[in-house]
Amino acid sequence: MDNVQISKMTISDLNEIENILFSDFDDFWNINVFKNELLNPNSKYIVAKLNNKIIGYAGIWKSVDDVHITNIVTAKKFRRQNIGSILLSNLIQMAKAENGITSITLEVNSNNISAQKLYEKFGFKVVGLRKKYYNNTDDAIIMTLKMKDMPQSMRNTCE
Ligand SMILES: CC(C)(COP(=O)(O)OP(=O)(O)OC[C@H]1O[C@@H](n2cnc3c(N)ncnc32)[C@H](O)[C@@H]1OP(=O)(O)O)[C@@H](O)C(=O)NCCC(=O)NCCS
């Protein structure tokens, strides 16, 4: 999709996100969590907009040498149209822009094959498993992209 705009998530985006969070996006976080995240200096969030409407969002937390992907979501009717890939490639660029980052890490539900495939497409590798991480039921797979293992083409895009 060519005309998708990526921008920093702002407090004013939250009204729109709140309206669609439970209908269209999966119910990850309530809006108060987002409010706190936007005030956190170690967090960065982006939204994908089509014709000025939010159709996806994603975010990262920075720790010392690792960037953690906190979430990445495409609105249901826009899935499989490259929005998740656009968001993820922007997160990777944001991680690259931080000083001293050697890896990008995330947890993904072991049942969430779509997300695992998305991350694999960008070179993320499985590095561990957290048993019963989600609701004390589902396992989390830990995936990492090492900056040094990033394909040259992606390095150029991200620099
Ligand atoms: C995971 C998610 C963000 C992918 O977003 P998307 O906009 O559909 O992603 P894209 O269209 O860019 O797809 C990129 C790749 O992901 C994989 N993928 C996406 N959806 C898939 C599906 N339903 N089945 C298998 N692979 C899938 C494919 O490898 C795809 O590449 P391809 O189209 O060239 O085959 C989306 O499914 C979503 O919002 N899921 C709910 C929230 C979530 O689980 N987030 C991840 C939390 S860790």
Side-chain angles (χ1 to χ4, degrees):
M1 202 175 283
D2 294 336
N3 38 357
V4 174
Q5 304 280 327
I6 299 292
S7 54
K8 202 174 149 191
M9 188 188 285
T10 63
I11 292 282
S12 58
D13 288 326
L14 292 185
N15 289 336
E16 194 179 337
I17 289 181
E18 185 164 29
N19 288 337
I20 52 183
L21 198 59
F22 295 108
S23 61
D24 212 26
F25 292 111
D26 298 271
D27 61 340
F28 269 150
W29 288 358
N30 76 34
I31 214 68
N32 290 324
V33 178
F34 275 112
K35 280 183 186 152
N36 288 333
E37 281 298 290
L38 293 187
L39 298 172
N40 179 344
N42 291 321
S43 299
K44 288 197 173 143
Y45 283 80
I46 52 174
V47 289
K49 291 185 182 175
L50 181 66
N51 300 327
N52 249 2
K53 292 257 175 249
I54 296 176
I55 57 167
Y57 58 81
I60 53 173
W61 281 329
K62 187 192 173 216
S63 66
V64 180
D65 58 356
D66 181 74
V67 156
H68 193 88
I69 296 182
T70 56
N71 60 30
I72 175 163
V73 185
T74 301
K76 284 182 180 143
K77 74 173 184 182
F78 290 97
R79 288 186 189 165
R80 280 327 271 272
Q81 295 176 61
N82 211 38
I83 309 300
S85 301
I86 294 170
L87 285 164
L88 184 53
S89 92
N90 274 270
L91 295 185
I92 293 169
Q93 291 185 46
M94 285 153 59
K96 288 236 12 160
E98 299 283 347
N99 281 333
I101 295 299
T102 57
S103 59
I104 307 175
T105 304
L106 57 94
E107 283 110 15
V108 54
N109 192 308
S110 58
N111 297 324
N112 190 347
I113 304 302
S114 321
Q116 289 167 44
K117 295 268 178 228
L118 168 66
Y119 298 128
E120 280 167 14
K121 195 173 155 186
F122 280 78
F124 283 76
K125 302 268 188 277
V126 175
V127 292
L129 186 76
R130 290 192 214 285
K131 285 273 186 197
K132 298 189 174 181
Y133 182 76
Y134 298 105
N135 299 324
N136 210 23
T137 308
D138 291 345
D139 298 340
I141 292 173
I142 306 166
M143 299 182 81
T144 291
L145 177 64
K146 296 272 179 210
M147 292 306 191
K148 66 177 174 50
D149 296 339
M150 201 178 278
Q152 192 64 44
S153 57
M154 206 184 292
R155 280 187 220 166
N156 290 342
T157 323
C158 297
E159 275 162 6

